[in-house]
Amino acid sequence: MSILHDLKPPPGIVRILAVSNLGRTVANGFLLSVSVLYFIRSVGVPADRVGIGLTVSAVLAMLVSIPAGQVSDRLGARRTSIVSGVAQGVLVCGYALVGGFAGFLMIVSLAAMADSASAVARGALIAEALPSNERVKARAYLQSVNNVGLSGGTLLGGVALAANSRALYAGMLLGAGLLFLGAGLTCLALPAADPGRAPEDHRARHVLRDAPYLTVSVLNAVLVLGTDALLTAALPIWIADRTNAPVSVYAAIMFLNTAMCVLFQVRLSRGAEDVAGGARAMRRSGMVLAVSCGIFALSAGQPAWVAVVCLLFGALVQVIGEMLHSAGSWALSYELAPAHAHGQYQGLFGLTQRVGSAITPMLTTAVLIGWGRPGWLLFAGILLAGGLATPSVARWAERTRASATPPRAADEPVAA
């Protein structure tokens, strides 16, 4: 009963955001399922050019993170969330009108930048709308919703893949665009809030000049190497090339990961509401993720049933580390940011997270698949070092907050 209670977002701001996020993640599931094959099969864009376009759009999404955060700080996170969500919805609807590579490159790049701006604004919106002791719990609820929505959208997108119909592809993309549009407009139901203003002597400070926060963000990117990107990039290749386990076990691993995140993210986020708790969660995350790498390494060269047991047990340990990382990263990203600049600080944190996810496929292919067990042990060492280093860096960052960040008059959001 307690677990089921954890799945229901509390009424008010968190529930409104949950509804909005559900629409966004279902739409993302549609895009993950059908967009690439739509551009290749129906529009006729060559596969290599689709890859180039997606790479360009990913880089642009990274570059826009911090500027989008600055816009959010100036205009307000609620307003920026609405505008960026509506823009993303319109652009995704435009996927159905693309007729060649130039149009594809332009539309996916603009949509990726809108998505990045929306993600940053939504992160800042939680800080703007909720007191600090409720933010990590709110993010945990939203993460559970995200997993449900993404899984549902992906499954529905599989229908279009099976039919292989341009009309159905286009219908799914138009549906995704409308969901993004609705998700943005849902934020109109949120109360307007004043994000806070910095005194003049702090107004020019930029997040990239905040060395302690930047260091925390880099350590976060290190731990990202062992989270979901590891499962999606390295594990299927590892199973196929380096173990005797049937490839079908990967589907069970992904189901286990999603189910655990849905059921236990809120529970594992408890105790990570402040800097000390967040740093503790990050340290534990590094340790647990390192253990999971060692378990995955044991699956090589074993009989099929032993390999399956190692892979499933490793996946169970890994998802616990992933959830601890999520809770810790949310706490540190909010609690170490000044109240007047959550947008650009969330932008930096989101940027490092995207960088970590982007380099994981390349690193895992070269190190884990190329080196085998020694590669897993090296990866374990990197994750362990990142987790163990986080508490001391977080304490350093916390010590600098009193002098570098103007105190907020009250921790409650201020109604406009």
Side-chain angles (χ1 to χ4, degrees), residues 172-190:
M172 297 291 282
L173 294 173
L174 288 172
L178 292 175
L179 284 170
F180 282 125
L181 189 65
L185 293 175
T186 300
C187 293
L188 288 168
L190 295 169

Side-chain angles (χ1 to χ4, degrees), residues 365-377:
T365 301
V367 176
L368 302 183
I369 311 304
W371 297 1
R373 284 181 176 174
W376 280 107
L377 296 179

